[in-house]
Amino acid sequence: MSGATGALTADPTWDLLEDDTIVILGRAREYLSGLTDLIEECERDRRFPAEIVRPLVDVGFIRGPIPISDGGLGLTHLQSASLMEEAGRAWASIRTTTNIMTLVAELLSHAGTPDQKKEFLTPLLSGDRLGWFAITEREAGSDAGAVATRAEPLPGGGYRLSGVKSYITNANHGDFGIVLATVDPNLGSRGITAFLVERSDGYRTIEHPHMPVRAVSSCDVELDRVVVGPDRVLGEVGRGLSLAMHGVNGGRLNVSAGCVGIAQACLDASRTHVTTRKQFGKQLAEFQLVQKMVVDIATRTAAARELYRSSARLLDSGIDARVACSMAKYFCAETAVAVATEAVQVHGAIGLTEGHPVERFFRDAREATIPEGTSQMQILQIGRALLGVSALR
Ligand SMILES: Cc1cc2nc3c(=O)[nH]c(=O)nc-3n(C[C@H](O)[C@H](O)[C@H](O)COP(=O)(O)OP(=O)(O)OC[C@H]3O[C@@H](n4cnc5c(N)ncnc54)[C@H](O)[C@@H]3O)c2cc1C
């Protein structure tokens, strides 16, 4: 084991990881551990911490999984997901933010033209420009193929975009976004195309405060006849949904790992609480029922970690890992919810107090079963693969 990260390498959950992965994680943990005051302030004020995007990039977030030839670090899926576990453990808002920006970077790296990479990807990977991704609409949630935002082709080339996207992470803070819109509603999902849209193009954002991840915004993006040139099509016309699917496994894996981070944080807090608080003249840790709660948290967290890591290894080996990533997303997200609920119980009233870390873990865990495919969508996809019949429609 490398000694480069000092005492941080003593974490037993890192025991079977490669030395270079431990170095990357150690650097990220060291940076994230210095954010305690910022977390408190941003959670209280619902503030997006734009000032830390560049340092996050510096320790490997966002550019991690991008190939070196495109300005990234060329990390493996296991390494990138492990970074997301660190983010989830420290502050789920950071996991959500970096996950979306990583998706934007991956899609640009995969399908961008050299000019698009220069204009959008390079500044994203240096933390100079922030990006968002918009597929969801009020009437197109789990059913992403129902996207109705219109991209009307213009006679001289280019497109006029009209529609409203919903729940778009950090759109009010971003400089540009990827918008999925249809060039012809009669074509169904085969008309859906990805477009790059810049703030100066004239879209409007409206923030809707939400319960979890308070240092992340959730926005409507209103596109009212926004005109973009033909050079803003990302990938091929009509291939927007397949392009989005390109990032789906990595996105699910990242959420899974972030959930394990939340679960680990719940375990850390619970161990500290039960060994320091006394009732009936004894430490809480001495009561069998309390031990069971902490043991359940630890066991579920360990199982979830193994599942996301094995899915990451499958992805890294090039084997079709769609079902594995769906299983990881389903299991890890539901585990985070269960574990955070148990951690509140371990803490008693103080765990429900605003500003207490466990209250934040509980709110943030609740997010995980909804974006990147709800738990029900994961079940339906796993069921179709296992049983050969679709129960989706
Ligand atoms: C914190 C957060 C961040 C997000 N960020 C983004 C973003 O950056 N960009 C973006 O495009 N979107 C984003 N989303 C939106 C997210 O992708 C959608 O919320 C998600 O796809 C689910 O859609 P919905 O909320 O409309 O729920 P619905 O699709 O309306 O589902 C409601 C319920 O019905 C269930 N359901 C639906 N269809 C079926 C079915 N066929 N069978 C069984 N059950 C079904 C669902 O599982 C769910 O339980 C974000 C959401 C959240 C919460």
Short mmCIF file of all heavy atoms in Angstrom, two decimals, residues 95-96 100 103 132-144 165-171 178 210 212-213 216-219 366-378 380 391-393, ligand 1:
data_model
loop_
_atom_site.label_atom_id
_atom_site.label_comp_id
_atom_site.label_asym_id
_atom_site.label_seq_id
_atom_site.Cartn_x
_atom_site.Cartn_y
_atom_site.Cartn_z
N ARG A 95 -21.77 15.39 -4.79
CA ARG A 95 -21.92 14.20 -5.65
C ARG A 95 -22.89 14.50 -6.79
O ARG A 95 -22.64 14.18 -7.95
CB ARG A 95 -22.38 13.01 -4.80
CG ARG A 95 -22.13 11.66 -5.40
CD ARG A 95 -23.19 11.26 -6.42
NE ARG A 95 -24.53 11.30 -5.86
CZ ARG A 95 -25.62 11.58 -6.56
NH1 ARG A 95 -25.56 11.87 -7.84
NH2 ARG A 95 -26.80 11.62 -5.97
N THR A 96 -24.03 15.14 -6.44
CA THR A 96 -25.04 15.45 -7.47
C THR A 96 -24.46 16.40 -8.52
O THR A 96 -24.59 16.16 -9.72
CB THR A 96 -26.30 16.08 -6.82
OG1 THR A 96 -26.81 15.15 -5.87
CG2 THR A 96 -27.36 16.38 -7.84
N ILE A 100 -23.63 15.27 -12.59
CA ILE A 100 -24.25 15.87 -13.78
C ILE A 100 -23.17 16.45 -14.71
O ILE A 100 -23.20 16.25 -15.92
CB ILE A 100 -25.25 16.99 -13.37
CG1 ILE A 100 -26.49 16.37 -12.72
CG2 ILE A 100 -25.65 17.84 -14.56
CD1 ILE A 100 -27.42 15.64 -13.68
N LEU A 103 -21.48 13.78 -16.58
CA LEU A 103 -22.31 13.29 -17.69
C LEU A 103 -22.17 14.22 -18.90
O LEU A 103 -21.97 13.76 -20.03
CB LEU A 103 -23.78 13.21 -17.24
CG LEU A 103 -24.80 12.93 -18.34
CD1 LEU A 103 -24.60 11.52 -18.91
CD2 LEU A 103 -26.23 13.08 -17.83
N TRP A 132 -25.06 21.84 -17.66
CA TRP A 132 -26.22 21.11 -17.14
C TRP A 132 -26.76 20.22 -18.25
O TRP A 132 -26.39 20.37 -19.43
CB TRP A 132 -27.29 22.06 -16.60
CG TRP A 132 -27.58 23.27 -17.43
CD1 TRP A 132 -26.97 24.49 -17.37
CD2 TRP A 132 -28.55 23.37 -18.50
NE1 TRP A 132 -27.49 25.35 -18.30
CE2 TRP A 132 -28.47 24.70 -19.01
CE3 TRP A 132 -29.47 22.51 -19.06
CZ2 TRP A 132 -29.28 25.15 -20.07
CZ3 TRP A 132 -30.28 22.97 -20.10
CH2 TRP A 132 -30.17 24.27 -20.59
N PHE A 133 -27.67 19.32 -17.88
CA PHE A 133 -28.20 18.35 -18.83
C PHE A 133 -29.72 18.30 -18.67
O PHE A 133 -30.22 18.12 -17.56
CB PHE A 133 -27.61 16.97 -18.56
CG PHE A 133 -28.21 15.88 -19.41
CD1 PHE A 133 -27.80 15.71 -20.72
CD2 PHE A 133 -29.19 15.05 -18.89
CE1 PHE A 133 -28.37 14.73 -21.51
CE2 PHE A 133 -29.76 14.06 -19.68
CZ PHE A 133 -29.35 13.90 -20.99
N ALA A 134 -30.46 18.45 -19.78
CA ALA A 134 -31.92 18.54 -19.66
C ALA A 134 -32.64 17.58 -20.59
O ALA A 134 -32.64 17.78 -21.81
CB ALA A 134 -32.37 19.97 -19.95
N ILE A 135 -33.25 16.58 -19.97
CA ILE A 135 -34.13 15.70 -20.73
C ILE A 135 -35.55 15.79 -20.16
O ILE A 135 -36.52 15.86 -20.91
CB ILE A 135 -33.58 14.24 -20.73
CG1 ILE A 135 -34.43 13.32 -21.60
CG2 ILE A 135 -33.45 13.68 -19.34
CD1 ILE A 135 -33.75 12.00 -21.91
N THR A 136 -35.70 15.86 -18.82
CA THR A 136 -37.00 15.77 -18.16
C THR A 136 -37.89 16.98 -18.46
O THR A 136 -37.42 18.11 -18.52
CB THR A 136 -36.80 15.65 -16.63
OG1 THR A 136 -35.92 14.57 -16.38
CG2 THR A 136 -38.11 15.41 -15.91
N GLU A 137 -39.17 16.68 -18.64
CA GLU A 137 -40.21 17.73 -18.73
C GLU A 137 -41.34 17.32 -17.80
O GLU A 137 -41.37 16.18 -17.34
CB GLU A 137 -40.73 17.81 -20.19
CG GLU A 137 -39.63 18.19 -21.16
CD GLU A 137 -40.07 18.05 -22.63
OE1 GLU A 137 -41.25 17.76 -22.89
OE2 GLU A 137 -39.19 18.22 -23.50
N ARG A 138 -42.28 18.24 -17.54
CA ARG A 138 -43.39 17.91 -16.63
C ARG A 138 -44.09 16.62 -17.06
O ARG A 138 -44.46 15.79 -16.25
CB ARG A 138 -44.42 19.04 -16.58
CG ARG A 138 -43.93 20.25 -15.83
CD ARG A 138 -44.18 20.18 -14.31
NE ARG A 138 -43.68 21.42 -13.70
CZ ARG A 138 -42.68 21.49 -12.85
NH1 ARG A 138 -42.07 20.41 -12.43
NH2 ARG A 138 -42.28 22.65 -12.37
N GLU A 139 -44.30 16.44 -18.36
CA GLU A 139 -45.03 15.26 -18.85
C GLU A 139 -44.09 14.19 -19.39
O GLU A 139 -44.53 13.22 -20.01
CB GLU A 139 -46.03 15.68 -19.94
CG GLU A 139 -47.05 16.72 -19.51
CD GLU A 139 -47.80 16.31 -18.24
OE1 GLU A 139 -48.10 15.11 -18.08
OE2 GLU A 139 -48.06 17.20 -17.40
N ALA A 140 -42.80 14.37 -19.25
CA ALA A 140 -41.82 13.37 -19.72
C ALA A 140 -40.80 13.16 -18.61
O ALA A 140 -39.74 13.78 -18.59
CB ALA A 140 -41.13 13.84 -21.00
N GLY A 141 -41.15 12.29 -17.64
CA GLY A 141 -40.26 11.97 -16.52
C GLY A 141 -39.62 10.63 -16.78
O GLY A 141 -38.68 10.51 -17.58
N SER A 142 -40.16 9.58 -16.16
CA SER A 142 -39.65 8.23 -16.43
C SER A 142 -39.79 7.89 -17.91
O SER A 142 -38.96 7.18 -18.48
CB SER A 142 -40.43 7.20 -15.60
OG SER A 142 -40.28 7.46 -14.23
N ASP A 143 -40.83 8.42 -18.54
CA ASP A 143 -41.06 8.17 -19.97
C ASP A 143 -40.31 9.23 -20.79
O ASP A 143 -40.90 10.14 -21.35
CB ASP A 143 -42.57 8.24 -20.23
CG ASP A 143 -42.93 7.86 -21.66
OD1 ASP A 143 -42.02 7.42 -22.40
OD2 ASP A 143 -44.11 8.00 -22.01
N ALA A 144 -38.99 9.06 -20.86
CA ALA A 144 -38.15 10.09 -21.49
C ALA A 144 -38.44 10.24 -22.98
O ALA A 144 -38.22 11.30 -23.56
CB ALA A 144 -36.67 9.75 -21.28
N LYS A 165 -38.09 22.59 -19.78
CA LYS A 165 -37.47 21.44 -19.12
C LYS A 165 -37.64 21.60 -17.60
O LYS A 165 -37.65 22.73 -17.09
CB LYS A 165 -35.97 21.38 -19.48
CG LYS A 165 -35.72 21.09 -20.96
CD LYS A 165 -36.14 19.68 -21.28
CE LYS A 165 -35.94 19.31 -22.73
NZ LYS A 165 -36.42 17.94 -23.02
N SER A 166 -37.74 20.49 -16.89
CA SER A 166 -38.02 20.57 -15.45
C SER A 166 -36.99 19.80 -14.62
O SER A 166 -36.44 18.81 -15.10
CB SER A 166 -39.40 19.97 -15.16
OG SER A 166 -40.38 20.72 -15.82
N TYR A 167 -36.82 20.25 -13.38
CA TYR A 167 -35.92 19.62 -12.39
C TYR A 167 -34.47 19.58 -12.87
O TYR A 167 -33.76 18.60 -12.62
CB TYR A 167 -36.37 18.18 -12.06
CG TYR A 167 -37.84 18.05 -11.80
CD1 TYR A 167 -38.65 17.32 -12.67
CD2 TYR A 167 -38.43 18.65 -10.69
CE1 TYR A 167 -40.01 17.19 -12.44
CE2 TYR A 167 -39.79 18.53 -10.45
CZ TYR A 167 -40.57 17.80 -11.34
OH TYR A 167 -41.92 17.68 -11.13
N ILE A 168 -34.04 20.61 -13.57
CA ILE A 168 -32.70 20.56 -14.17
C ILE A 168 -31.66 21.06 -13.16
O ILE A 168 -31.70 22.22 -12.71
CB ILE A 168 -32.65 21.37 -15.49
CG1 ILE A 168 -33.79 20.91 -16.42
CG2 ILE A 168 -31.28 21.23 -16.15
CD1 ILE A 168 -33.86 19.41 -16.68
N THR A 169 -30.74 20.17 -12.82
CA THR A 169 -29.76 20.44 -11.77
C THR A 169 -28.83 21.58 -12.17
O THR A 169 -28.18 21.52 -13.23
CB THR A 169 -28.95 19.16 -11.49
OG1 THR A 169 -29.85 18.16 -11.01
CG2 THR A 169 -27.85 19.39 -10.48
N ASN A 170 -28.78 22.59 -11.33
CA ASN A 170 -27.84 23.72 -11.44
C ASN A 170 -27.95 24.52 -12.73
O ASN A 170 -27.00 25.22 -13.11
CB ASN A 170 -26.39 23.22 -11.28
CG ASN A 170 -26.11 22.72 -9.88
OD1 ASN A 170 -26.77 23.15 -8.94
ND2 ASN A 170 -25.15 21.82 -9.74
N ALA A 171 -29.11 24.46 -13.42
CA ALA A 171 -29.22 25.19 -14.69
C ALA A 171 -29.04 26.70 -14.48
O ALA A 171 -28.52 27.38 -15.35
CB ALA A 171 -30.57 24.91 -15.33
N ILE A 178 -26.98 20.81 -22.24
CA ILE A 178 -27.37 19.91 -23.32
C ILE A 178 -28.88 19.72 -23.18
O ILE A 178 -29.37 19.31 -22.12
CB ILE A 178 -26.64 18.55 -23.22
CG1 ILE A 178 -25.14 18.75 -23.36
CG2 ILE A 178 -27.18 17.57 -24.26
CD1 ILE A 178 -24.32 17.48 -23.13
N HIS A 210 -35.97 22.46 -3.29
CA HIS A 210 -36.37 21.07 -3.02
C HIS A 210 -35.81 20.62 -1.67
O HIS A 210 -34.99 21.31 -1.06
CB HIS A 210 -35.93 20.14 -4.16
CG HIS A 210 -34.47 20.23 -4.49
ND1 HIS A 210 -33.92 19.68 -5.62
CD2 HIS A 210 -33.43 20.81 -3.83
CE1 HIS A 210 -32.63 19.91 -5.64
NE2 HIS A 210 -32.31 20.59 -4.58
N PRO A 212 -33.97 17.66 -0.65
CA PRO A 212 -32.60 17.16 -0.45
C PRO A 212 -31.56 18.07 -1.11
O PRO A 212 -31.91 19.10 -1.68
CB PRO A 212 -32.65 15.81 -1.17
CG PRO A 212 -33.61 16.01 -2.29
CD PRO A 212 -34.60 17.06 -1.84
N VAL A 213 -30.32 17.63 -1.03
CA VAL A 213 -29.17 18.30 -1.68
C VAL A 213 -29.38 19.82 -1.82
O VAL A 213 -29.52 20.34 -2.91
CB VAL A 213 -28.81 17.62 -3.03
CG1 VAL A 213 -28.16 16.28 -2.79
CG2 VAL A 213 -30.01 17.43 -3.96
N VAL A 216 -27.62 22.39 -4.17
CA VAL A 216 -27.82 22.14 -5.60
C VAL A 216 -29.15 22.77 -5.94
O VAL A 216 -30.09 22.70 -5.15
CB VAL A 216 -27.90 20.60 -5.84
CG1 VAL A 216 -28.44 20.29 -7.23
CG2 VAL A 216 -26.55 19.94 -5.62
N SER A 217 -29.26 23.38 -7.12
CA SER A 217 -30.56 23.95 -7.48
C SER A 217 -31.31 23.01 -8.42
O SER A 217 -30.71 22.18 -9.10
CB SER A 217 -30.38 25.32 -8.15
OG SER A 217 -29.69 25.17 -9.36
N SER A 218 -32.63 23.15 -8.42
CA SER A 218 -33.49 22.36 -9.29
C SER A 218 -34.32 23.38 -10.07
O SER A 218 -35.05 24.16 -9.47
CB SER A 218 -34.37 21.47 -8.43
OG SER A 218 -35.25 20.73 -9.23
N CYS A 219 -34.17 23.37 -11.39
CA CYS A 219 -34.73 24.48 -12.18
C CYS A 219 -35.62 24.03 -13.33
O CYS A 219 -35.37 23.00 -13.95
CB CYS A 219 -33.59 25.29 -12.82
SG CYS A 219 -32.42 25.96 -11.67
N ARG A 366 -32.85 10.52 0.57
CA ARG A 366 -34.20 10.40 -0.03
C ARG A 366 -34.21 10.77 -1.51
O ARG A 366 -35.08 10.37 -2.27
CB ARG A 366 -35.19 11.26 0.76
CG ARG A 366 -36.63 10.84 0.57
CD ARG A 366 -36.82 9.40 1.01
NE ARG A 366 -37.95 8.73 0.39
CZ ARG A 366 -37.96 8.19 -0.82
NH1 ARG A 366 -36.91 8.25 -1.61
NH2 ARG A 366 -39.03 7.58 -1.28
N GLU A 367 -33.22 11.58 -1.92
CA GLU A 367 -33.14 11.96 -3.32
C GLU A 367 -32.88 10.76 -4.23
O GLU A 367 -33.42 10.66 -5.33
CB GLU A 367 -31.99 12.98 -3.53
CG GLU A 367 -31.76 13.34 -5.00
CD GLU A 367 -30.29 13.57 -5.37
OE1 GLU A 367 -29.41 13.26 -4.56
OE2 GLU A 367 -30.06 14.05 -6.48
N ALA A 368 -32.05 9.83 -3.73
CA ALA A 368 -31.36 8.89 -4.61
C ALA A 368 -32.25 7.93 -5.39
O ALA A 368 -31.87 7.44 -6.45
CB ALA A 368 -30.35 8.09 -3.78
N THR A 369 -33.46 7.66 -4.88
CA THR A 369 -34.30 6.66 -5.57
C THR A 369 -35.06 7.26 -6.75
O THR A 369 -35.83 6.57 -7.40
CB THR A 369 -35.33 6.04 -4.59
OG1 THR A 369 -36.19 7.08 -4.12
CG2 THR A 369 -34.65 5.36 -3.40
N ILE A 370 -34.85 8.55 -7.04
CA ILE A 370 -35.64 9.19 -8.11
C ILE A 370 -34.87 9.53 -9.39
O ILE A 370 -35.23 9.04 -10.45
CB ILE A 370 -36.42 10.40 -7.53
CG1 ILE A 370 -37.46 9.85 -6.52
CG2 ILE A 370 -37.14 11.19 -8.63
CD1 ILE A 370 -38.24 10.88 -5.77
N PRO A 371 -33.80 10.34 -9.34
CA PRO A 371 -33.13 10.62 -10.62
C PRO A 371 -32.30 9.44 -11.14
O PRO A 371 -32.09 8.48 -10.41
CB PRO A 371 -32.21 11.81 -10.30
CG PRO A 371 -32.21 12.00 -8.86
CD PRO A 371 -33.17 11.05 -8.22
N GLU A 372 -31.85 9.55 -12.38
CA GLU A 372 -31.06 8.50 -13.06
C GLU A 372 -31.87 7.20 -13.15
O GLU A 372 -31.32 6.11 -13.09
CB GLU A 372 -29.74 8.22 -12.32
CG GLU A 372 -28.81 9.41 -12.21
CD GLU A 372 -27.97 9.65 -13.46
OE1 GLU A 372 -27.96 8.78 -14.36
OE2 GLU A 372 -27.35 10.72 -13.53
N GLY A 373 -33.20 7.32 -13.28
CA GLY A 373 -34.07 6.14 -13.32
C GLY A 373 -34.53 5.82 -11.91
O GLY A 373 -33.71 5.47 -11.05
N THR A 374 -35.85 5.92 -11.68
CA THR A 374 -36.38 5.62 -10.33
C THR A 374 -36.12 4.16 -9.99
O THR A 374 -35.80 3.35 -10.87
CB THR A 374 -37.90 5.86 -10.29
OG1 THR A 374 -38.52 4.94 -11.20
CG2 THR A 374 -38.28 7.29 -10.67
N SER A 375 -36.31 3.81 -8.72
CA SER A 375 -36.15 2.39 -8.32
C SER A 375 -37.07 1.51 -9.15
O SER A 375 -36.70 0.41 -9.57
CB SER A 375 -36.47 2.23 -6.84
OG SER A 375 -35.45 2.77 -6.06
N GLN A 376 -38.30 2.00 -9.42
CA GLN A 376 -39.25 1.19 -10.19
C GLN A 376 -38.73 0.97 -11.62
O GLN A 376 -38.85 -0.14 -12.17
CB GLN A 376 -40.63 1.87 -10.24
CG GLN A 376 -41.39 1.84 -8.92
CD GLN A 376 -40.77 2.74 -7.85
OE1 GLN A 376 -40.18 3.78 -8.15
NE2 GLN A 376 -40.90 2.34 -6.61
N MET A 377 -38.13 1.99 -12.21
CA MET A 377 -37.57 1.83 -13.57
C MET A 377 -36.43 0.81 -13.57
O MET A 377 -36.29 0.00 -14.49
CB MET A 377 -37.07 3.18 -14.12
CG MET A 377 -38.17 4.15 -14.47
SD MET A 377 -39.30 3.51 -15.72
CE MET A 377 -40.79 3.32 -14.75
N GLN A 378 -35.61 0.83 -12.51
CA GLN A 378 -34.51 -0.16 -12.44
C GLN A 378 -35.11 -1.56 -12.34
O GLN A 378 -34.66 -2.49 -13.03
CB GLN A 378 -33.60 0.09 -11.22
CG GLN A 378 -33.08 1.51 -11.05
CD GLN A 378 -32.33 2.04 -12.26
OE1 GLN A 378 -31.77 1.28 -13.05
NE2 GLN A 378 -32.33 3.35 -12.41
N LEU A 380 -37.96 -2.64 -13.38
CA LEU A 380 -38.57 -3.06 -14.65
C LEU A 380 -37.50 -3.45 -15.67
O LEU A 380 -37.68 -4.38 -16.47
CB LEU A 380 -39.46 -1.95 -15.20
CG LEU A 380 -40.71 -1.65 -14.36
CD1 LEU A 380 -41.46 -0.45 -14.89
CD2 LEU A 380 -41.62 -2.86 -14.30
N ALA A 391 -42.53 -5.21 -18.54
CA ALA A 391 -43.72 -4.78 -17.79
C ALA A 391 -43.78 -3.26 -17.74
O ALA A 391 -44.43 -2.67 -16.88
CB ALA A 391 -43.67 -5.36 -16.38
N LEU A 392 -43.07 -2.62 -18.68
CA LEU A 392 -42.92 -1.16 -18.64
C LEU A 392 -44.16 -0.43 -19.15
O LEU A 392 -44.54 0.61 -18.63
CB LEU A 392 -41.69 -0.76 -19.47
CG LEU A 392 -41.25 0.69 -19.40
CD1 LEU A 392 -40.86 1.07 -17.98
CD2 LEU A 392 -40.07 0.94 -20.34
N ARG A 393 -44.78 -0.95 -20.20
CA ARG A 393 -45.94 -0.25 -20.81
C ARG A 393 -47.19 -1.12 -20.75
O ARG A 393 -47.09 -2.31 -20.87
CB ARG A 393 -45.63 0.08 -22.28
CG ARG A 393 -44.62 1.17 -22.39
CD ARG A 393 -44.26 1.46 -23.82
NE ARG A 393 -43.02 2.22 -23.85
CZ ARG A 393 -42.95 3.54 -23.63
NH1 ARG A 393 -44.03 4.23 -23.41
NH2 ARG A 393 -41.78 4.15 -23.66
C1 LIG B 1 -32.67 15.89 -7.31
C2 LIG B 1 -33.07 15.66 -8.72
C3 LIG B 1 -32.24 16.09 -9.75
C4 LIG B 1 -32.63 15.91 -11.09
N1 LIG B 1 -31.81 16.39 -12.08
C5 LIG B 1 -32.21 16.27 -13.37
C6 LIG B 1 -31.40 16.84 -14.42
O1 LIG B 1 -30.34 17.44 -14.16
N2 LIG B 1 -31.81 16.69 -15.68
C7 LIG B 1 -32.97 16.04 -16.02
O2 LIG B 1 -33.27 15.93 -17.21
N3 LIG B 1 -33.77 15.52 -15.04
C8 LIG B 1 -33.42 15.62 -13.73
N4 LIG B 1 -34.22 15.12 -12.73
C9 LIG B 1 -35.50 14.52 -13.07
C10 LIG B 1 -35.53 13.01 -12.94
O3 LIG B 1 -34.80 12.42 -13.99
C11 LIG B 1 -37.00 12.57 -12.92
O4 LIG B 1 -37.52 13.03 -11.69
C12 LIG B 1 -37.16 11.07 -13.03
O5 LIG B 1 -36.87 10.64 -14.33
C13 LIG B 1 -38.58 10.61 -12.67
O6 LIG B 1 -39.54 11.35 -13.36
P1 LIG B 1 -40.75 12.04 -12.55
O7 LIG B 1 -40.18 12.74 -11.39
O8 LIG B 1 -41.55 12.82 -13.53
O9 LIG B 1 -41.61 10.84 -11.99
P2 LIG B 1 -42.70 9.96 -12.79
O10 LIG B 1 -42.11 9.42 -14.03
O11 LIG B 1 -43.96 10.73 -12.88
O12 LIG B 1 -42.90 8.77 -11.76
C14 LIG B 1 -43.69 8.89 -10.57
C15 LIG B 1 -43.73 7.51 -9.91
O13 LIG B 1 -44.35 6.56 -10.81
C16 LIG B 1 -43.45 5.48 -11.06
N5 LIG B 1 -43.63 5.03 -12.45
C17 LIG B 1 -43.61 5.77 -13.59
N6 LIG B 1 -43.81 4.99 -14.66
C18 LIG B 1 -43.95 3.73 -14.21
C19 LIG B 1 -44.16 2.45 -14.83
N7 LIG B 1 -44.23 2.31 -16.16
N8 LIG B 1 -44.24 1.36 -14.03
C20 LIG B 1 -44.10 1.47 -12.69
N9 LIG B 1 -43.91 2.63 -12.05
C21 LIG B 1 -43.83 3.76 -12.80
C22 LIG B 1 -42.05 6.05 -10.80
O14 LIG B 1 -41.11 5.03 -10.50
C23 LIG B 1 -42.33 6.95 -9.61
O15 LIG B 1 -42.38 6.20 -8.44
C24 LIG B 1 -33.85 15.26 -11.39
C25 LIG B 1 -34.68 14.81 -10.34
C26 LIG B 1 -34.30 15.02 -9.03
C27 LIG B 1 -35.21 14.55 -7.93
#
